[in-house]
Amino acid sequence: MKPVGPIPPVFAGQRRLQVGGVDFAELLARAGDTPAFLYDGAAIAGRVAALRAALPPSVGIHYAIKANPHADVLALIAPLVDGLDVASGGELAKAIAVKPARAVSFAGPGKRDDELAATLEASATLHAESEGEVERTLAIADRLGLTPRIAVRVNPDFELRGSGMRMGGRASPFGVDAARVPTLVRHIVAAGADWHGFHIFAGSQTLDTAALIETQAATVTLAARLSDAAGYAPAFVNLGGGFGIPYFPGDTPIDVTAIGVALGDTLAARDPILSETGFAIELGRYLVGEAGVYCTRVVDVKRSGDEWFVVVDGGLHHQLAASGNFGTVVRRNYPVALADRMNADPAITASVVGCLCTPLDRLADRIALPAVSVGDTIAIFQAGAYGATASPQAFLGHPPARELLV
Ligand SMILES: *Cc1c(COP(=O)(O)O)cnc(C)c1O
């Protein structure tokens, strides 16, 4: 028997799964069928509010929409945050539909000319990933007769410790190496563009509070050093994010109160060149991950060798991360429960496997479950981020997951 991850506080202690105060069976009827992602809107709003209370009031909160770009989720979160960060032309279109373009910024490698043009035409902020991208942007802006607003994404010369996905401290497709940034900033200013500042993102999904504090301090220091070297003060610095959520057995939440206090101290002591600078952090999963539950129905319970297999109508085509095939090295179990008996005593040890014809499609490995029958609903928690849009939904031709914001 292997342990499962911790059920998030919003749902822990329930007997039957409720999302937003409504029983899961009623919600699945509303959604139409399983498999379905259920998102708790009050949990998302509560999360943003708690974070805001913990952070210094001058620090903005941006939402990285790739974590969950569902239209209803975006409409809910857009007015609660100060900015939306996007990483494709498709996300740009979704973001400017719900937020003023001034509060939308576009980062990410491989932006096509039409994406650059769309950013300029919308008056969103471009986060340039390379010198070449700056050149293309300046040329397109010239052709369109527009003044581009450009921030430089920096590949920092340090990384976020304990991070699930490191994005700094080494050669990288993301951002411009810190050493070359001052020259690029001078070039942007000399070209007559509106230089907006820096975007410094050092990693993702860390649960190490001390590492997050240290990285934010190093990020502010780096922003000051680059500004001094460039000879210009930035209007804005996006400090990155990297706040993780507890997916796996033994994981514990980060301490945002401690992070907020430390960030307040860091900013109070910042270099004078940053005295007029605005700051924000950008988060994806931290804002929405815990609010989502993936519900999938049992279609078969079978025995093979001396093991039980609970076969469900969902799978890795909707919830790739729970199968351990999305950025994890060692496969561990997400928080999983039987939706109508969350606290019932375990009766069997079983693996929960999806309906895809591949051995990769294992949503939970040898976990303790109450007696399970065909027709029961399995709930997989921490499913509000990187689920529906980060999984290979077309693989094997099953229908897409339903999604319902409550
Ligand atoms: C994906 C991404 C994020 C969001 O990451 P989370 O781990 O979901 O918080 C933030 N910033 C950038 C630049 C990203 O690429």
Side-chain angles (χ1 to χ4, degrees):
M1 204 260 290
K2 294 191 178 173
V4 294
I7 293 180
V10 208
F11 306 108
Q14 296 182 352
R15 204 173 52 76
R16 281 178 66 90
L17 173 66
Q18 295 194 348
V19 178
V22 186
D23 189 84
F24 76 95
E26 156 70 19
L27 295 174
L28 291 177
R30 264 190 230 171
D33 203 352
T34 51
F37 287 93
L38 306 176
Y39 306 125
D40 185 332
I44 295 173
R47 187 71 157 200
V48 177
L51 179 64
R52 220 180 255 297
L55 290 177
S58 63
V59 175
I61 299 171
H62 289 194
Y63 175 51
I65 83 168
K66 77 174 185 290
N68 188 333
H70 187 264
D72 296 343
V73 172
L74 269 190
L76 169 81
I77 207 168
L80 305 179
V81 296
D82 304 292
L84 297 177
D85 293 342
V86 306
S88 73
E91 288 192 350
L92 176 69
K94 288 184 179 179
I96 61 181
V98 293
K99 194 89 183 156
R102 247 214 104 75
V104 174
S105 48
F106 183 177
K111 299 182 195 76
R112 293 160 46 105
D113 285 359
D114 54 1
E115 294 176 310
L116 297 176
T119 309
L120 300 177
E121 279 163 347
S123 304
T125 304
L126 186 89
H127 286 193
E129 302 275 346
S130 71
E131 287 93 345
E133 193 169 277
V134 168
E135 287 318 313
R136 283 193 295 132
T137 304
L138 292 173
I140 292 166
D142 204 36
R143 202 176 69 227
L144 297 174
L146 296 167
T147 303
R149 188 165 56 254
I150 304 177
V152 175
R153 173 137 177 216
V154 180
N155 175 25
D157 36 23
F158 52 84
E159 67 184 17
L160 173 58
R161 267 195 295 122
S163 169
M165 285 181 208
R166 279 175 302 220
M167 296 212 183
R170 61 180 74 187
S172 167
F174 308 106
V176 178
D177 292 353
R180 298 206 311 271
V181 166
T183 305
L184 182 60
V185 168
R186 283 194 294 270
H187 176 62
I188 291 169
V189 174
D194 172 8
W195 174 56
H196 192 57
F198 298 117
H199 176 202
I200 307 177
F201 181 79
S204 217
Q205 178 54 25
T206 187
L207 293 171
D208 183 340
T209 298
L212 288 164
I213 288 172
E214 194 181 285
T215 296
Q216 288 183 334
T219 301
V220 173
T221 302
L222 176 61
R225 175 155 59 82
L226 297 175
S227 305
D228 277 323
Y232 295 102
F236 199 77
V237 175
N238 177 326
L239 297 168
F243 293 17
I245 57 174
Y247 289 107
F248 302 119
D251 282 359
T252 51
I254 57 169
D255 181 349
V256 285
T257 305
I259 291 169
V261 169
L263 184 55
D265 293 346
T266 294
L267 292 179
R270 69 189 183 271
D271 187 287
I273 199 163
L274 301 178
S275 58
E276 302 295 311
T277 302
F279 294 89
I281 58 169
E282 55 172 352
L283 301 170
R285 75 188 77 217
Y286 185 78
L287 300 183
V288 295
E290 297 200 8
V293 188
Y294 178 62
C295 289
T296 177
R297 197 161 287 144
V298 177
V299 290
D300 197 8
V301 179
K302 62 180 278 188
R303 189 138 179 103
S304 174
D306 56 1
E307 291 191 33
W308 285 104
F309 293 89
V310 173
V311 188
V312 295
D313 63 359
L316 70 76
H317 55 311
H318 300 151
Q319 190 47 8
L320 183 64
S323 75
N325 294 293
F326 189 67
T328 42
V329 181
V330 181
R331 197 211 171 290
R332 289 170 295 169
N333 287 321
Y334 264 47
V336 174
L338 207 51
D340 70 343
R341 276 160 286 160
M342 287 190 24
N343 289 339
D345 289 334
I348 59 165
T349 297
S351 292
V352 178
V353 297
C355 58
L356 300 192
C357 202
T358 158
L360 297 180
D361 197 6
R362 185 174 287 239
L363 296 173
D365 189 36
R366 282 167 282 168
I367 62 170
L369 285 171
V372 192
S373 313
V374 170
D376 283 346
T377 299
I378 298 276
I380 299 176
F381 297 91
Q382 302 295 47
Y386 305 110
T389 59
S391 304
Q393 293 227 43
F395 185 38
L396 268 154
H398 292 288
R402 309 193 180 225
E403 297 179 82
L404 182 72
L405 174 72
V406 189

